[in-house]
Amino acid sequence: RLVFHSTVMSSSSVVYLLLTLISLTLPSTCLPSESSSTATENTHVATNGLPFPWSKLRLPNYIIPVHYHLLIHPNLTTLRFNGSVKIEIDVKNNTNWVVLHSKNLEITAATVLDESEANLFDKALPVLDYPPHEQIAIFSPTILTSGEKYFLYLEFSASLNDGFFGFYKSSYKTTEGQTRVLASTHFEPTSARMAFPCFDEPNFKANYSVRIRRGPSHIALSNMPIEHTVELDNGLFEDRFEASVQMSTYLVAFIVCDFKSVSKRTVTGIDVSIYAVPHKWHQTHYALEAAVKLLEFYETYFNIYYPLPKLDLIAIPDFQSGAMENWGLTTYRETSLLYDPDVSSTSDKLWVTMVIGHELAHQWFGNLVTMEWWNDIWLNEGFARYMEFVSVEATYPQLKVEDYLLDTCFAAIGRDSLNSSRAISCSVENPTQIKEMFDTVSYDKGACILHMLRHFLTDDVFQSGIVRYLRKFKYRNAKNEDLWDSLVNVITLTFSYCWEYVTMMCTWTLQKGIPLVTVKRQGTKLYIEQERFLKTVQPSDPLWQYLWHIPLTYKTSHSNNEMRHILQIKSDVLVLDEDVDWVKFNTDMNGYYIIHYDAEGWNVLIELLKVNHSAVSFKDRANLIHNAFQLVTAGRLTLDQALDLITYLKSETHNVPLLQGLGYLESFYKMIEKRNITYILQYFRDVIDKQTWSNEGTVSDRRLRSELLSLACDLGYTPCLEKAKHFYQTWVTSNGTISLPSDVTETIYMVGAQDENGWQYLLEKYGVSMSEAEKCKFLAALASSKDSSKLLRLLELGMEGSVIRTQDLSTLIYTVARNPAGHFLAWNFVKKNWNKLVEKFQLGSFSMRNIIIGTTAQFSSKEELANIKDFFDSVKDQSSQLRVTQVAVENVEKNILWLERNLETLRMWLQQRLN
């Protein structure tokens, strides 16, 4: 194959290309390769039939962009845009070719300018297009000489994208019913190339000077403040923005809209603004308060000032993900930024706060310091996810965000205990592989191992280390090992064995999976061993090959102080100072590992929870429940032992362990086709009956109330159903004008949606609601119907995209699939509409992963497994590119195995308690 290097073309070849540009093979002397391959062996052929001069997915590194001068003009009537870009380039080696990214853009002009910005050529230069790699190549008849300054100038046009990537169109309806159109961008990871030709890789950082043309009724926003505005002859205005700091292409953003904003200045002089559609302006005030508070926290915590003069946060009506950290212009789904005190729940408020905390953390982790390549995206996303908890706990302690960190780690373990998992840092090349990196492993596991490291090093050492990392690599790119090196420099001042920590952390980022630590106690000796934890172990799985350096923590019945030990070998022995009644490892679940005790160890802990559960923290109790049921799934612990463990929950008062245990019981209830529900109601009736239908209490109280009453009504508990029906009828009688308790609103709607009139009324209210938080509750209720025809209608409305926005379709499919009446309906809908869904959401995207996992997770028979495999085989060209299809198959295999092992035990255990 031809691999192009930065080599000078012969003059005869120059003339050949310029004069002919026909579908012929270039002479092999034009494009030297690494081997003796000739041009005729090249399989990379441009759209015009000529050989493309570059064979790799990654761009060559002999031309470096320095400064983009970008002009963009979107037409919100024709739904097209055109523009030009002048890129100052640094040529490292002599060459005739410039290769960069472009996708679905029509390049209408191309030339090269010299240092004085004069045209080097009289005519436009030829442009070769190679869509499989989303690359174009511009040929220069004159050699571009190393060390000289040049400008690449391109003009281009395209349609505003119909999806959610690149430069795309969005719309909303005013209170009068008029449709308004806007244009917005979303570039991460590889979609800047859909908006303008660029070097679209994170290590090609450059400055950007942006100009945007718009009509008089619109505003334009970009990463930087407007420097000045010029009125053009044709009634248009051109907003010219200040030059940006150095940043990667995926962080560039520009928007043309007619939104309104609220603003406030931080103590360090940063102008923070929240933008939303005009009639939702009143829902922006909480976000402004939170953004200012969180930005000021981060400046103090990182000891580095936010480097831009302004920070805008804008709620986009059509947005696929939760939010995006574009530097200085962060974009959000409306549910992630807008808060309406009248209808938003306490969970909605926490979500908005955490998302803002996540995106603002990115202004340092990701924007100021960017991963060198997408294999280390966890350096962005793992840190931002973890800093959500650190920042919100510091600024809004009343929200009790630490309660949710355990859920984050539970989610990570769920994925990481499958064979289809991956290492945090792993090789990726093409856009589909890159999109799949934005997953539970990068976000949640990344956050959990950082939490483990912070706990083990102490808060101060951890903070000093990451500040050193940010200072050393600001405006640059970094790799996995750069973070550890920065931490080592700080640890050296505190510990004498610092390199131990580097080795330790590499075992967590460079190999997949989660360790299982087994503990056997004999007198004062603790015999500990480690291996990889898998839920579906195959005989060929080499579990013994995995070795982590595990920072173990533990407490005993005789010690209030946490004890520590780094397990660096397969097995070890710890000696206690005295005989103890019990030992609990992984204190407060600060570590990322599963603990399995011997039979006596589990029995002692089960008895401890029954007699005095407050002897260990609520985090320890939740950790024990989680570990026990994970071990049941892996066939390491019997189900009746795990069920015996949670019998203490009748006395539990904290929402985290209570909801953890109830969650497992609810999933079992669904597995056994809703039989034996009497036990759940009988056992937890007291705690259910204590719940009030109000918004009173702490955040933890309100979360527990929301979850418990939802479960009780779902189980058909008569007092719950009667109360919900009363609220619903009162609300309908008022024509939806009275305010319902926001924490139980969704439960009330779900009960109301179970009859024909109630369902139709909710669908009407969904169509006219001006609050996205409220619409989410309506949609969840509509999707809870037991009528399959109604569920199918919802899915069709989501596919059509008018009543139910396309952005909500993947969540809708997932929600319908979780409804027992919708299991097969949702899966058949996905199979029938696969190509349309891929077109809407892009292969590898979070939405497609959500759809695949959501519609298959409920299946638990060999026939259903065969059905899934057959479908994936039928779309092999696409499914073979996805890791998530392996996850889906393995999940079903896990479910089949669980039922084979445990179904009879579950039935007998429940029957014994009912008798």
Side-chain angles (χ1 to χ4, degrees):
R1 64 194 172 97
L2 274 172
V3 181
F4 172 60
H5 287 284
S6 50
T7 307
V8 181
M9 294 181 67
S10 67
S11 58
S12 61
S13 300
V14 171
V15 175
Y16 179 80
L17 181 61
L18 282 174
L19 295 180
T20 61
L21 281 176
I22 58 176
S23 301
L24 298 174
T25 303
L26 284 173
S28 59
T29 53
C30 299
L31 303 169
S33 68
E34 290 175 338
S35 65
S36 59
S37 303
T38 64
T40 57
E41 294 172 317
N42 179 30
T43 58
H44 299 79
V45 179
T47 51
N48 62 1
L50 290 170
F52 194 76
W54 186 250
S55 63
K56 298 180 180 179
L57 276 165
R58 298 282 298 272
L59 294 179
N61 59 8
Y62 56 81
I63 289 186
I64 309 297
V66 177
H67 198 132
Y68 290 79
H69 299 267
L70 178 63
L71 170 66
I72 291 286
H73 178 201
N75 187 319
L76 301 185
T77 303
T78 64
L79 301 181
R80 288 188 60 82
F81 69 94
N82 56 55
S84 65
V85 63
K86 181 178 67 179
I87 311 171
E88 180 185 342
I89 55 175
D90 179 10
V91 178
K92 298 296 185 183
N93 295 322
N94 294 353
T95 184
N96 292 99
W97 289 97
V98 181
V99 180
L100 67 164
H101 288 111
S102 175
K103 182 181 180 182
N104 299 334
L105 297 174
E106 180 186 352
I107 308 298
T108 54
T111 191
V112 176
L113 313 177
D114 64 17
E115 188 173 0
S116 63
E117 301 189 27
N119 271 307
L120 288 177
F121 316 108
D122 295 333
K123 297 180 180 180
L125 299 181
V127 179
L128 301 184
D129 185 10
Y130 187 59
H133 288 179
E134 302 174 358
Q135 294 172 354
I136 57 173
I138 291 88
F139 174 75
S140 169
T142 301
I143 298 166
L144 303 180
T145 308
S146 173
E148 295 294 320
K149 181 178 179 180
Y150 297 96
F151 294 89
L152 176 66
Y153 178 79
L154 299 158
E155 294 178 1
F156 53 92
S157 65
S159 295
L160 289 170
N161 192 18
D162 282 329
F164 304 95
F165 291 92
F167 197 21
Y168 70 94
K169 64 181 175 67
S170 177
S171 65
Y172 70 93
K173 286 189 176 180
T174 65
T175 51
E176 294 78 27
Q178 295 178 325
T179 298
R180 299 279 173 85
V181 177
L182 59 137
S184 182
T185 57
H186 186 103
F187 292 161
E188 191 179 34
T190 60
S191 294
R193 64 193 69 173
M194 298 173 68
F196 60 99
C198 56
F199 298 80
D200 198 12
E201 294 178 5
N203 59 326
F204 287 120
K205 289 195 170 188
N207 302 100
Y208 294 82
S209 295
V210 177
R211 294 179 292 148
I212 301 176
R213 291 179 180 171
R214 57 170 178 85
S217 61
H218 291 96
I219 61 170
L221 300 170
S222 190
N223 305 84
M224 299 298 290
I226 293 176
E227 198 168 51
H228 63 278
T229 299
V230 176
E231 186 172 357
L232 305 178
D233 294 338
N234 51 8
L236 294 175
F237 291 84
E238 184 176 288
D239 293 321
R240 299 175 180 177
F241 295 84
E242 294 176 15
S244 76
V245 296
Q246 278 193 314
M247 61 184 182
S248 303
T249 47
Y250 76 88
L251 295 170
V252 177
F254 36 86
I255 298 169
V256 174
C257 63
D258 64 348
F259 287 8
K260 302 293 184 185
S261 66
V262 293
S263 301
K264 188 176 180 180
R265 183 167 288 181
T266 68
V267 292
T268 54
I270 308 302
D271 292 319
V272 178
S273 302
I274 315 293
Y275 288 82
V277 300
H279 60 271
K280 296 180 182 179
W281 178 83
H282 68 286
Q283 299 177 33
T284 59
H285 299 286
Y286 175 71
L288 181 63
E289 172 205 309
V292 168
K293 189 178 287 191
L294 287 162
L295 190 64
E296 290 174 347
F297 165 80
Y298 281 131
E299 285 192 320
T300 302
Y301 187 88
F302 295 136
N303 197 22
I304 299 172
Y305 288 122
Y306 174 75
L308 307 188
K310 63 94 172 175
L311 174 64
D312 298 333
L313 300 83
I314 181 167
I316 306 296
D318 298 283
F319 201 83
Q320 184 176 9
S321 56
M324 177 60 207
E325 66 266 22
N326 317 300
W327 216 346
L329 178 55
T330 55
T331 48
Y332 299 76
R333 192 180 270 238
E334 289 188 335
T335 51
S336 299
L337 188 66
L338 305 183
Y339 176 77
D340 186 342
D342 293 332
V343 299
S344 298
S345 67
T346 185
S347 294
D348 296 329
K349 188 174 192 176
L350 176 63
W351 172 248
V352 168
T353 315
M354 291 181 72
V355 174
I356 294 173
H358 183 102
E359 302 312 321
L360 268 56
H362 272 311
Q363 306 304 300
W364 286 265
F365 278 100
N367 298 10
L368 186 66
V369 179
T370 311
M371 75 278 140
E372 192 167 287
W373 181 244
W374 300 106
N375 63 305
D376 279 331
I377 186 59
W378 86 276
L379 290 174
N380 287 19
E381 300 301 349
F383 261 105
R385 172 57 55 87
Y386 186 50
M387 291 308 298
E388 292 175 29
F389 297 98
V390 175
S391 64
V392 175
E393 187 176 359
T395 53
Y396 290 91
Q398 69 274 19
L399 291 179
K400 298 291 182 184
V401 71
E402 66 271 16
D403 291 0
Y404 292 79
L405 180 59
L406 293 187
D407 291 333
T408 297
C409 297
F410 293 156
I413 292 168
R415 167 70 188 280
D416 217 17
S417 55
L418 299 177
N419 219 359
S420 49
S421 188
R422 63 169 181 83
I424 285 182
S425 180
C426 66
S427 176
V428 289
E429 287 294 327
N430 67 49
T432 297
Q433 292 170 345
I434 291 168
K435 289 185 186 77
E436 278 209 302
M437 291 292 286
F438 291 79
D439 65 357
T440 300
V441 175
S442 290
Y443 285 73
D444 296 342
K445 181 179 179 179
C448 294
I449 68 164
L450 288 170
H451 177 67
M452 177 172 65
L453 182 64
R454 180 186 181 213
H455 176 72
F456 213 75
L457 293 180
T458 73
D459 294 354
D460 290 343
V461 172
F462 178 82
Q463 182 179 354
S464 297
I466 62 175
V467 168
R468 183 182 181 91
Y469 167 77
L470 290 170
R471 288 185 178 278
K472 182 176 181 180
F473 293 99
K474 61 182 180 181
Y475 303 112
R476 294 164 55 198
N477 297 83
K479 303 186 292 294
N480 188 59
E481 53 266 33
D482 294 325
L483 173 63
W484 310 139
D485 289 345
S486 295
L487 282 165
V488 160
N489 283 282
V490 175
I491 296 169
T492 304
L493 303 176
T494 312
F495 305 104
S496 60
Y497 44 95
C498 61
W499 285 106
E500 186 173 299
Y501 287 89
V502 177
T503 307
M504 178 179 81
M505 294 315 298
C506 285
T507 68
W508 294 96
T509 56
L510 301 182
Q511 64 181 346
K512 67 179 180 179
I514 179 171
L516 170 68
V517 178
T518 58
V519 180
K520 296 178 182 179
R521 182 158 66 100
Q522 293 181 4
T524 57
K525 290 185 177 180
L526 300 174
Y527 294 88
I528 53 177
E529 294 183 358
Q530 66 159 296
E531 61 181 272
R532 185 181 174 197
F533 176 70
L534 276 178
K535 291 178 182 173
T536 53
V537 180
Q538 304 297 327
S540 59
D541 291 334
L543 303 185
W544 56 271
Q545 288 185 359
Y546 292 85
L547 179 69
W548 288 265
H549 289 198
I550 307 171
L552 295 175
T553 58
Y554 58 101
K555 284 187 177 181
T556 73
S557 56
H558 289 44
S559 173
N560 291 323
N561 296 322
E562 177 184 270
M563 288 166 277
R564 298 181 171 199
H565 175 75
I566 298 180
L567 179 60
Q568 305 177 68
I569 52 180
K570 299 302 290 184
S571 61
D572 206 348
V573 180
L574 303 179
V575 180
L576 301 173
D577 293 335
E578 56 186 328
D579 280 327
V580 297
D581 298 325
W582 53 264
V583 179
K584 164 65 175 69
F585 273 78
N586 199 359
T587 309
D588 287 338
M589 201 182 158
N590 286 317
Y592 185 74
Y593 47 90
I594 299 281
I595 293 290
H596 183 26
Y597 304 92
D598 58 15
E600 181 59 25
W602 276 114
N603 289 337
V604 168
L605 289 168
I606 290 169
E607 188 62 25
L608 174 68
L609 293 185
K610 289 178 181 177
V611 175
N612 181 22
H613 67 269
S614 61
V616 292
S617 70
F618 79 86
K619 293 179 182 179
D620 278 330
R621 302 195 296 271
N623 175 227
L624 285 170
I625 294 169
H626 174 264
N627 275 200
F629 283 102
Q630 294 297 304
L631 290 163
V632 169
T633 303
R636 302 263 187 167
L637 190 70
T638 62
L639 178 61
D640 49 4
Q641 282 180 288
L643 290 168
D644 286 345
L645 178 76
I646 62 171
T647 55
Y648 94 93
L649 284 176
K650 194 171 185 178
S651 307
E652 181 60 78
T653 56
H654 199 285
N655 68 303
V656 173
L658 189 56
L659 292 176
Q660 183 68 16
L662 275 170
Y664 284 113
L665 286 176
E666 186 179 12
S667 65
F668 300 155
Y669 147 73
K670 291 178 178 177
M671 277 186 190
I672 56 176
E673 299 168 351
K674 301 198 173 185
R675 287 171 287 189
N676 291 317
I677 63 171
T678 314
Y679 173 74
I680 302 178
L681 291 174
Q682 175 183 299
Y683 202 76
F684 295 101
R685 181 176 287 124
D686 288 348
V687 70
I688 291 171
D689 288 343
K690 287 177 183 175
Q691 304 307 311
T692 61
W693 294 70
S694 69
N695 287 334
E696 298 172 352
T698 65
V699 171
S700 295
D701 294 337
R702 295 174 68 178
R703 181 191 176 196
L704 182 62
R705 173 188 305 131
S706 177
E707 298 278 356
L708 278 177
L709 292 179
S710 175
L711 174 61
C713 284
D714 189 38
L715 294 175
Y717 184 42
T718 301
C720 183
L721 292 173
E722 289 177 349
K723 191 74 172 178
K725 286 176 182 176
H726 172 73
F727 270 108
Y728 184 75
Q729 289 303 325
T730 305
W731 178 72
V732 171
T733 301
S734 75
N735 196 26
T737 56
I738 66 165
S739 294
L740 295 170
S742 59
D743 296 324
V744 292
T745 298
E746 190 172 311
T747 297
I748 294 168
Y749 292 157
M750 283 180 171
V751 172
Q754 298 313 310
D755 65 57
E756 178 69 29
N757 292 335
W759 196 88
Q760 291 294 342
Y761 185 74
L762 286 170
L763 184 60
E764 291 172 13
K765 298 298 285 185
Y766 176 87
V768 298
S769 173
M770 292 298 175
S771 165
E772 285 302 309
E774 183 179 53
K775 291 180 81 167
C776 285
K777 295 173 177 59
F778 285 141
L779 196 57
L782 291 165
S784 72
S785 171
K786 304 303 181 284
D787 185 337
S788 59
S789 64
K790 288 183 172 60
L791 298 179
L792 181 59
R793 184 182 173 197
L794 281 181
L795 294 174
E796 289 170 343
L797 286 172
M799 183 62 76
E800 186 268 333
S802 178
V803 176
I804 299 174
R805 288 182 182 270
T806 302
Q807 68 169 8
D808 298 317
L809 177 57
S810 69
T811 301
L812 174 61
I813 293 171
Y814 180 88
T815 307
V816 169
R818 293 186 63 189
N819 179 344
H823 287 353
F824 296 103
L825 181 72
W827 172 241
N828 290 331
F829 180 83
V830 169
K831 291 193 293 183
K832 179 182 177 182
N833 295 282
W834 175 261
N835 290 330
K836 292 179 183 177
L837 291 169
V838 171
E839 185 179 347
K840 286 178 183 290
F841 296 117
Q842 293 193 352
L843 203 63
S845 67
F846 166 78
S847 293
M848 286 306 298
R849 295 199 305 274
N850 203 31
I851 288 169
I852 292 168
I853 295 295
T855 53
T856 56
Q858 318 299 328
F859 295 143
S860 56
S861 74
K862 292 178 180 178
E863 293 75 20
E864 290 160 347
L865 177 60
N867 183 307
I868 293 168
K869 287 182 174 179
D870 287 345
F871 175 70
F872 288 153
D873 283 342
S874 73
V875 290
K876 199 166 188 176
D877 286 350
Q878 294 166 321
S879 65
S880 62
Q881 300 179 51
L882 299 173
R883 183 180 277 110
V884 71
T885 55
Q886 303 165 35
V887 177
V889 167
E890 198 173 350
N891 268 331
V892 179
E893 291 173 341
K894 176 197 69 179
N895 293 344
I896 293 169
L897 196 57
W898 195 97
L899 287 175
E900 289 175 352
R901 286 172 174 162
N902 300 302
L903 185 56
E904 193 55 38
T905 304
L906 177 62
R907 284 174 174 154
M908 290 177 62
W909 190 90
L910 287 171
Q911 196 60 48
Q912 289 170 4
R913 267 110 195 117
L914 291 171
N915 290 339

